[in-house]
Amino acid sequence: MAQSSVMEVSGRVVARKSPPFRTSATTPPPPTTTAPPTDTPAPKPTRPHDSAWYADVNNPFREFGFLFALAFLFTRFSMVNQLIEFKVGVSTYMTYLFGVPALLVMLSTGGIQRALRTKASIIFLGFMLWMVFVTPFSLWKGGSFKLLKDTYLVEFPLLFLIAGLAVTRINIQRMFRAIAYSVSIMVVASFLFSASWGDRLALAYGTVANPNDLATHILTTLPFVGWAYASERSQFSFMKAVWIATALGAIMVVIKTGSRGGLLAFGVMMLIALFKMSAVQRVLVVCSTILVVMVTFALAPGVLVQRYLTIFSKNPSVEYLDDGQLVEARGSSEARKNLLRASIKITLANPIFGVGPGQFSVAEDNEQKRLGRSRGAWQVTHNSYTEVSSEMGFPGLLFFLGAILTCIFSLQRLSSAWLSGPDVRLLANTLLLSISACMVCLFFASLAYRFYVPTLIGLTSAVICWAKSPEAVGRGGRTA
């Protein structure tokens, strides 16, 4: 006869008959109680990286140091300190006024660790350390030590100040906008305070008074003007008009410098930009650029046009180019080729340690005297890559190129990843254009120890780290 049993179901007592046959005495499982439903979801586990990011964001001391780093960045790219000194005759020491507090805050808030979170930063740190290592082997140790001191105090710290203090979207955007504002100042200064370089446009003051260096500076910073324009929310605004005028003025400055390397860099940058744009944007950019180029060449002296034609032919039309100007244009190209050959020869003769940072001119002079000539050219290599290889050997060149190429590969992955949101892609594409233009310009200028490469690596590192932050993931950033 079946026995009855009692069970509890959802708080109600229900009678149930036991089955007539059992193979063994079994004990019914204990009743399970379920927790009442709640409207608050369980918190997601926080990754260690996220916890560190939130701690950095909420650190007011870091934000205080970031303001000094922002002012330091703007001063370096706008060169307002050099402009003031040129007009007033008094040094303002702005770089030390802003740079020293920013550096102290960066060091005291763990900025070194934040800056070294990317491969590009680590590789460039190797370049910096190798520069220290080869200095004792220099042909002129005093000259190399002075260059080492200047670069470590003013040029290289930008990498750590940017990547170590810019951790939020607002931080990065402020730095991009500061560089864009600096372009406006440089364009106005180029026309108001120009120097006489024949028919070529150049500044009358500062470290970019040379037309080729001025073109490099403008082209490296020009993509940030495009970012500033694209980041404006309203369709029509006063600032959009300012950015359009700045971009067109910057293109005119580059053309009027007569820099053949600058013209090639501009072409490369435009090709990459067109590849990244939509069809409508391509039409607008191409039409406006062609219009500016035509107007600029129409207003430029004929000798400037003929100078550009020497890129394609050694015997351009002499309608505007007299014998002296033709000799100068040809001689400039031939002199650069001779310096390039000399730098390659010195590199092969000193493949490991080089001749010492900043000592190519000394080594080239010694080589010319050894060959029986009275003296050398006493000029720089006019090529940043052979500047590094001849003065720091192949290891230095590998560190230098490795850091730049790592930035390009990382930014390309970031801009093409389907997880990347519009903010991340716009930042990454801006840096891709800037680095591409800078790389081409570096082939025609000796700027390996200047702040351009450290700045671009620092901005790249900041963008990559922010793209993995909770803030970026919430805006369509990458999750890994």
Side-chain angles (χ1 to χ4, degrees):
M1 179 176 178
Q3 298 179 352
S4 62
S5 62
V6 179
M7 65 177 294
E8 183 178 350
V9 179
S10 301
R12 294 182 295 109
V13 178
V14 180
R16 187 184 64 140
K17 290 185 178 182
S18 303
F21 304 102
R22 291 181 184 271
T23 56
S24 62
T26 59
T27 302
T32 58
T33 58
T34 58
T38 175
D39 295 334
T40 305
K44 295 182 180 180
T46 304
R47 297 178 299 175
H49 174 77
D50 295 347
S51 301
W53 184 83
Y54 281 116
D56 293 333
V57 170
N58 297 323
N59 187 343
F61 194 45
R62 178 205 59 81
E63 191 68 23
F64 175 73
F66 168 78
L67 296 178
F68 281 96
L70 185 66
F72 182 75
L73 178 72
F74 175 75
T75 301
R76 295 297 288 133
F77 275 93
S78 66
M79 300 185 181
V80 291
N81 58 327
Q82 299 178 8
L83 176 59
I84 294 174
E85 185 175 359
F86 170 71
K87 295 300 295 182
V88 181
V90 178
S91 178
T92 60
Y93 298 100
M94 283 187 180
T95 52
Y96 296 103
L97 180 64
F98 299 133
V100 172
L103 190 62
L104 293 176
V105 173
M106 185 271 297
L107 293 173
S108 61
T109 58
I112 295 292
Q113 293 86 341
R114 288 191 294 270
L116 296 178
R117 287 176 180 172
T118 61
K119 293 180 180 179
S121 297
I122 296 174
I123 295 174
F124 194 80
L125 177 63
F127 174 79
M128 294 173 59
L129 296 178
W130 185 254
M131 185 176 178
V132 175
F133 182 77
V134 300
T135 295
F137 302 94
S138 171
L139 292 178
W140 180 31
K141 298 177 180 58
S144 293
F145 180 79
K146 183 180 183 304
L147 176 63
L148 181 68
K149 180 191 67 175
D150 293 340
T151 53
Y152 266 73
L153 288 178
V154 181
E155 312 290 345
F156 291 167
L158 269 170
L159 186 158
F160 300 95
L161 293 181
I162 295 171
L165 293 174
V167 298
T168 67
R169 178 178 62 92
I170 297 298
N171 292 156
I172 297 173
Q173 288 180 338
R174 285 178 177 175
M175 287 193 161
F176 273 52
R177 191 164 281 109
I179 297 177
Y181 280 123
S182 72
V183 181
S184 301
I185 294 177
M186 290 297 295
V187 169
V188 174
S190 297
F191 288 108
L192 294 182
F193 309 108
S194 60
S196 176
W197 274 73
D199 291 304
R200 303 175 64 187
L201 179 65
L203 278 176
Y205 65 91
T207 53
V208 292
N210 182 283
N212 297 316
D213 294 347
L214 177 60
T216 299
H217 187 89
I218 296 295
L219 286 170
T220 302
T221 54
L222 180 57
F224 295 90
V225 178
W227 171 88
Y229 174 85
S231 63
E232 291 291 332
R233 300 300 181 186
S234 59
Q235 187 174 2
F236 302 100
S237 66
F238 171 75
M239 286 310 302
K240 276 201 169 185
V242 170
W243 297 132
I244 292 175
T246 299
L248 298 180
I251 296 173
M252 292 182 67
V253 169
V254 171
I255 295 175
K256 290 176 72 66
T257 59
S259 173
R260 290 165 288 191
L263 187 65
L264 292 175
F266 178 71
V268 170
M269 184 175 64
M270 287 299 300
L271 289 176
I272 297 175
L274 293 176
F275 179 76
K276 297 285 185 179
M277 292 177 181
S278 64
V280 176
Q281 291 173 331
R282 290 172 186 169
V283 173
L284 292 175
V285 170
V286 169
C287 292
S288 59
T289 302
I290 291 176
L291 179 62
V292 174
V293 171
M294 291 177 61
V295 171
T296 304
F297 275 123
L299 298 177
V303 61
L304 199 63
V305 179
Q306 299 301 316
R307 179 181 178 85
Y308 282 123
L309 292 179
T310 59
I311 299 176
F312 311 102
S313 174
K314 292 184 178 181
N315 298 297
S317 171
V318 294
E319 180 180 357
Y320 301 103
L321 207 64
D322 61 31
D323 292 340
Q325 292 165 336
L326 182 60
V327 169
E328 187 276 332
R330 290 175 177 172
S332 176
S333 298
E334 192 62 30
R336 289 172 180 268
K337 292 178 182 178
N338 291 334
L339 290 170
L340 179 63
R341 296 189 193 99
S343 61
I344 294 175
K345 186 176 181 179
I346 291 175
T347 298
L348 297 177
N350 305 271
I352 305 300
F353 303 113
V355 296
Q359 302 311 308
F360 166 78
S361 301
V362 178
E364 193 267 342
D365 179 68
N366 292 341
E367 177 65 18
Q368 294 300 319
K369 290 180 179 178
R370 188 185 67 83
L371 295 175
R373 299 184 177 91
S374 59
R375 61 188 298 274
W378 281 99
Q379 293 186 14
V380 293
T381 61
H382 292 290
N383 185 306
S384 296
Y385 306 109
T386 58
E387 177 186 26
V388 173
S389 66
S390 62
E391 297 178 354
M392 296 176 57
F394 284 115
L397 179 62
L398 291 177
F399 282 124
F400 187 73
L401 274 177
I404 298 175
L405 294 177
T406 301
C407 284
I408 292 178
F409 295 147
S410 300
L411 290 169
Q412 179 59 34
R413 287 197 301 267
L414 196 61
S415 66
S416 59
W418 67 272
L419 286 173
S420 297
D423 286 342
V424 176
R425 285 196 296 269
L426 184 58
L427 293 170
N429 287 331
T430 300
L431 287 172
L432 270 175
L433 293 177
S434 180
I435 293 175
S436 300
C438 186
M439 283 195 71
V440 177
C441 290
L442 289 179
F443 194 84
F444 302 95
S446 296
L447 300 171
Y449 308 116
R450 296 294 305 281
F451 58 88
Y452 299 107
V453 173
T455 297
L456 295 175
I457 294 175
L459 289 171
T460 299
S461 299
V463 170
I464 291 174
C465 291
W466 175 74
K468 300 178 182 179
S469 69
E471 182 185 28
V473 171
R475 301 177 62 87
R478 298 186 68 185
T479 57

